[in-house]
Structure formats: structure tokens, C-alpha cells
Amino acid sequence: MRTKTATVLLLCTVFIMLLNQTLMTTAMPVIASSLNISVGLGQWLTTGYVLILGVISPMTAQLITKFSSRHLFLSILAIFLVGTIITMLNSNFWFLLLGRLIQACAGGILISFVQVSLLILHRPEKRGTVLGIQALVITCAPALGPTLAGIVIKLENWQALFFIPISHHVHHFDYLLVLVSKLHR
């Protein structure tokens, strides 16, 4: 049971971080108007996120070997929360971009971390199924981001987009730490 719970929580965490990757797409015209910037400049909120995600991801293997799962996971969550708080509380484009880039640093590490953690958690005969489910999460989250952003923008202001990841991480924080600490090292 503990393995299933850990798997679901890890997949939910990666889902939320990857969902965050494309939340800005639909909100871009509203954000650009609100910040009084061009949509081209505002596009860096999405482009910069994906760029940093790609640069940081290869570093994960080194981080996994140097740090315990607990410390690495705690750092990932802390980095992401700091980036989210910066984006949520600022109406200055450059601080918003800084927050997005900080979020991307955490997201880039998390994707590989979750994959390694899932491989450790599951027996060899279950790994294909679990990695297949992870692939579904990795592809669905960015696809749902623009739709969810459109709904949120219709109901609230664009800063409300950043309550989605914060609510998940705060709600499951203690439980995630206990489960991840049992993974390895």
C-alpha cells in the first residue's frame, strides 16, 4: 500500500510541476496587458521555463548520487515553492520571469528524480507499467495546462494560476517527505 501511495503522490507532484510549464500560454495576453509589456517579451515566461528545464535535467544524475533522496526532494519542493511565491507576489515582469526560471530549475530535477524513485520503489516486473503511467502524466500535464489556465483566468486574475502548485505541495508536504525518505540513502 505504501508503494502505491508514494507512486501516486510522486506522479501528482510531477504532474503539477509539468502543468505549470504551460499554464502561461493561455494567460499570456492577459499577463502582457496587465504588466504593460509586449506578448513577445511575455513569451519568455514560457520559453525561459522550457529552456531552463532542458538545461537542468541532465544535472539530475549527479545530484541523485551526491544527495539523499530526502534532501534532494526537500530541496526540489523548496526551490519550486520559492519560485512560485516570487511569481505570485510580483507584478513586475522581471521578477515574474525570475520566479518562473526558479520553478523550472526544480521541475527539471524533479522529472528524472521521480523516474529514478519509481524504479527503486517497484519490482522489476512492475516497472514497465509504472514508467508507462509516468509517461502518460508527463504528456498529459502540459496538454491540460492551457485549458486549466483559461478556466482560471475566466474566474480569477492571472496570479491565481500559482495557487494550484502551492496548494498541492503544502497539502501533501509532510506525507511526501515521509514516503520519499524511505526510498534510498
Side-chain angles (χ1 to χ4, degrees):
M1 182 63 180
R2 181 169 284 194
T3 300
K4 286 182 183 179
T5 306
T7 300
V8 168
L9 287 173
L10 286 169
L11 291 174
C12 286
T13 303
V14 81
F15 178 86
I16 293 295
M17 285 198 189
L18 286 169
L19 179 75
N20 195 50
Q21 177 181 334
T22 56
L23 282 176
M24 297 290 105
T25 307
T26 305
M28 191 55 57
V30 174
I31 293 171
S33 174
S34 172
L35 299 178
N36 202 21
I37 60 171
S38 70
V39 174
L41 180 60
Q43 193 60 40
W44 275 101
L45 296 172
T46 301
T47 304
Y49 190 97
V50 175
L51 181 66
I52 295 296
L53 203 69
V55 169
I56 293 292
S57 290
M59 297 178 195
T60 306
Q62 187 68 22
L63 294 172
I64 287 173
T65 59
K66 284 191 174 198
F67 301 102
S68 70
S69 296
R70 179 180 172 83
H71 288 116
L72 186 56
F73 190 70
L74 180 60
S75 298
I76 291 167
L77 289 179
I79 291 166
F80 191 79
L81 285 173
V82 165
T84 303
I85 290 168
I86 290 171
T87 55
M88 198 170 65
L89 298 179
N90 282 288
S91 57
N92 175 295
F93 171 75
W94 299 107
F95 280 107
L96 186 59
L97 180 61
L98 174 66
R100 291 285 292 162
L101 298 180
I102 291 170
Q103 286 178 323
C105 289
I109 298 166
L110 182 74
I111 296 167
S112 299
F113 175 82
V114 167
Q115 187 167 18
V116 169
S117 298
L118 291 174
L119 290 172
I120 291 167
L121 279 170
H122 294 277
R123 296 186 314 268
E125 61 272 8
K126 296 281 187 180
R127 290 178 182 163
T129 303
V130 171
L131 292 179
I133 293 168
Q134 183 198 19
L136 285 172
V137 168
I138 288 173
T139 51
C140 287
L144 295 174
T147 304
L148 181 60
I151 294 168
V152 171
I153 295 294
K154 208 62 152 160
L155 301 174
E156 292 289 331
N157 62 17
W158 61 266
Q159 285 96 342
L161 292 171
F162 301 108
F163 283 108
I164 297 166
I166 283 184
S167 63
H168 171 268
H169 294 331
V170 169
H171 184 67
H172 298 303
F173 190 75
D174 293 339
Y175 202 62
L176 285 166
L177 283 180
V178 169
L179 291 171
V180 170
S181 68
K182 304 207 183 297
L183 286 177
H184 50 10
R185 286 203 304 132

